[in-house]
Amino acid sequence: MSTDEYRRKFADFLATQPMTSDITYEQVARAKTRDELGISSLNMVLVLVNYIDKFTNNTVTMRPEWVSLLGDVDGILSVLRQIDASSVVPNRA
């Protein structure tokens, strides 16, 4: 998935979260930092926990090394990539 596709996925997911539902794709595309989007560090952690729940069925856990990446949008997208790459979703045959 390209960076732009991850930006879209991130924006679409933010729209489903009560604390970030008013953030648009256009805002995400323009923003360089989480602060520019008006997302607090606590809310960013909650967004990640919810992302992990939705997209990995909780097969991924939060990692301390992600904290330093959550201040800017590119870092957040990097974390989303890592979450998706680490996901072990059971085969639903």
Side-chain angles (χ1 to χ4, degrees):
M1 191 179 296
S2 73
T3 299
D4 286 334
E5 289 170 319
Y6 263 100
R7 207 173 256 111
R8 172 65 69 186
K9 184 177 183 179
F10 179 51
D12 289 347
F13 187 71
L14 290 176
T16 69
Q17 301 301 295
M19 67 291 253
T20 57
S21 62
D22 60 338
I23 297 174
T24 66
Y25 169 76
E26 290 75 20
Q27 290 171 302
V28 171
R30 282 192 312 266
K32 299 284 186 219
T33 67
R34 174 181 45 78
D35 286 339
E36 289 176 58
L37 294 172
I39 303 173
S40 70
S41 57
L42 176 59
N43 280 342
M44 189 65 240
V45 169
L46 293 172
V47 166
L48 279 185
V49 167
N50 292 339
Y51 183 93
I52 288 168
D53 181 48
K54 177 173 176 135
F55 291 106
T56 75
N57 199 27
N58 288 316
T59 60
V60 175
T61 58
M62 292 284 292
R63 298 183 185 157
E65 61 267 22
W66 292 344
V67 173
S68 65
L69 300 172
L70 300 178
D72 65 75
V73 173
D74 287 339
I76 294 166
L77 300 180
S78 170
V79 169
L80 297 183
R81 276 195 174 101
Q82 291 178 51
I83 290 169
D84 289 349
S86 299
S87 176
V88 182
V89 178
N91 186 357
R92 299 180 186 188

